[in-house]
Amino acid sequence: WVVKLTYTLDGQEISPDELGGKSGALAIRLQVSRDPGCTGDFFDKYALQVTMSLDTDLARNISAPGATVANVGGKKQLSYILLPGADSDVTVTADVTDFVMDAVSLNGVRLNLNLGTGRAVPVLRDGRRRPREQLPFAYEAESLSAESRIRD
């Protein structure tokens, strides 16, 4: 993956080093695309789980379209699952005061879409029904943390 994080404050791009302690209208843009120099298949076979947390005492009017949002203590936890094989471009916005933020977490995750029905799930493909174990999306769970090497 090629991962690019861009921060803007009051419409002006700002480096992460300069952002600490600032106040204003913040936008965090996350862009993910295929790494053309990578020969592995992570981009096509692994989803990318992205999580960031914003302190609700420092960030208000948080907007994160497409994110799963959870309240975790005094923070909003924003989680995205970026699907395998697809470029992604997401933006989180908030009005911030004396801003600080924990690190953004990135994890490559082999999807496990076990539907948990306990029986074969019929799927009609080319006029045939197939049991769940023959479906192309019945993966075993694997995970690759951001601390692991992402490239082959």
Side-chain angles (χ1 to χ4, degrees):
W1 296 286
V2 174
V3 178
K4 181 180 179 185
L5 276 170
T6 307
Y7 303 88
T8 58
L9 188 66
D10 296 326
Q12 300 295 315
E13 190 167 326
I14 187 169
S15 75
D17 293 334
E18 297 174 294
L19 184 56
K22 301 281 195 234
S23 300
L26 174 67
I28 303 169
R29 183 176 181 193
L30 170 71
Q31 297 168 283
V32 178
S33 59
R34 179 186 302 273
D35 182 347
C38 181
T39 58
D41 61 358
F42 287 109
F43 187 79
D44 292 319
K45 292 194 177 180
Y46 285 76
L48 192 61
Q49 179 185 30
V50 180
T51 305
M52 62 181 80
S53 295
L54 298 176
D55 186 323
T56 55
D57 289 334
L58 306 176
R60 303 211 184 273
N61 303 318
I62 298 168
S63 175
T68 299
V69 181
N71 292 316
V72 180
K75 296 184 179 187
K76 289 278 187 197
Q77 181 174 300
L78 313 172
S79 298
Y80 291 92
I81 300 291
L82 309 178
L83 294 178
D87 291 347
S88 298
D89 191 341
V90 298
T91 301
V92 173
T93 60
D95 296 322
V96 299
T97 305
D98 300 323
F99 186 67
V100 293
M101 181 177 140
D102 295 334
V104 175
S105 171
L106 303 168
N107 293 290
V109 180
R110 185 100 182 217
L111 289 181
N112 179 4
L113 297 177
N114 182 350
L115 301 176
T117 62
R119 57 187 165 89
V121 177
V123 171
L124 192 60
R125 175 183 266 176
D126 298 329
R128 300 176 307 167
R129 287 179 176 237
R130 298 192 318 174
R132 182 175 61 161
E133 57 273 1
Q134 294 177 359
L135 294 177
F137 59 77
Y139 294 113
E140 291 295 318
E142 292 180 29
S143 177
L144 176 70
S145 72
E147 290 142 9
S148 299
R149 198 155 177 227
I150 295 176
R151 294 176 63 156
D152 284 85

